[in-house]
Amino acid sequence: MAAEENPHADILRAIEHFALLLAEAGVPRMPARVFAYMLADDAAQHTAGELAAGLQVSPAAISGAVRFLQQGRLVIRGRERGARVDHYRLPGDDLWVDLFAARIGLLGSWEKALGEAAELLGPDRPGTARLRESREFFAFVRTDMPELMERWRAHRIQLRRSGDETATARE
């Protein structure tokens, strides 16, 4: 069946493109595909079987992918009362803010480790200068992240009020 006759083929093509970008950023391929699918699909939650059918892969491939995504807090597993099957959903209405907020602590850890490494190397070394600059970068990002998230929330409210959630500030 040609792509024009199968709208699912267009969805899969878009998902694969975003998943490839996630994979290039270090997310394993199958978790990247599952995450991209869940982000793009209309359903609010999915069973492993639904994910497998949607991505046209085996249920076994989904199992490892959702486990990886759960560990990274990109997917939440739940079960409806009386159900025998788990459902997976994306975390919250503010997905990206929540994901970045969870990483703020990580930035603080990196900042501390880089400072300690710079102290161990001692002054007046090119490596020490790079470590200190890296530490300052992470401190800068960590400090400005909460304000940036609040600006995003305000921007998102404006987008929703205007009815144009596809608009961006850069258009």
Side-chain angles (χ1 to χ4, degrees), residues 117-137:
E119 290 301 315
L120 286 173
L121 284 180
D124 303 325
R125 295 182 61 177
T128 301
R130 287 190 297 271
L131 289 170
R132 285 185 177 144
E133 185 171 321
S134 296
R135 180 195 64 210
E136 290 305 317
F137 173 79

Side-chain angles (χ1 to χ4, degrees), residues 3-4 6-15:
E4 303 84 39
N6 182 2
H8 190 71
D10 290 335
I11 293 167
L12 283 177
R13 198 169 15 265
I15 289 164

Side-chain angles (χ1 to χ4, degrees), residues 27-150:
V27 178
R29 184 152 169 68
M30 186 53 66
R33 292 181 72 207
V34 169
F35 181 74
Y37 182 83
M38 291 179 70
L39 195 60
D41 191 58
D42 292 339
Q45 62 182 17
H46 303 82
T47 65
E50 291 165 345
L51 292 169
L55 288 168
Q56 301 171 354
V57 299
S58 74
I62 299 300
S63 176
V66 294
R67 189 169 32 258
F68 177 89
L69 293 169
Q70 281 180 270
Q71 290 171 345
R73 296 187 179 127
L74 297 170
V75 166
I76 296 171
R77 181 180 67 177
R79 185 174 288 188
E80 293 178 7
R81 178 177 233 148
R84 302 180 89 192
V85 64
D86 290 333
H87 285 85
Y88 301 94
R89 66 178 175 81
L90 299 173
D93 185 43
D94 219 350
L95 170 69
W96 296 108
V97 169
D98 293 343
L99 290 173
F100 277 79
R103 274 44 177 197
I104 290 175
L106 180 62
L107 295 177
S109 297
W110 290 355
E111 205 180 309
K112 181 179 178 194
L114 289 164
E116 291 168 355
E119 290 301 315
L120 286 173
L121 284 180
D124 303 325
R125 295 182 61 177
T128 301
R130 287 190 297 271
L131 289 170
R132 285 185 177 144
E133 185 171 321
S134 296
R135 180 195 64 210
E136 290 305 317
F137 173 79
F138 290 121
F140 178 85
V141 171
R142 182 184 51 76
T143 302
D144 280 8
M145 187 66 72
E147 181 185 339
L148 182 61
M149 288 187 263
E150 286 306 314

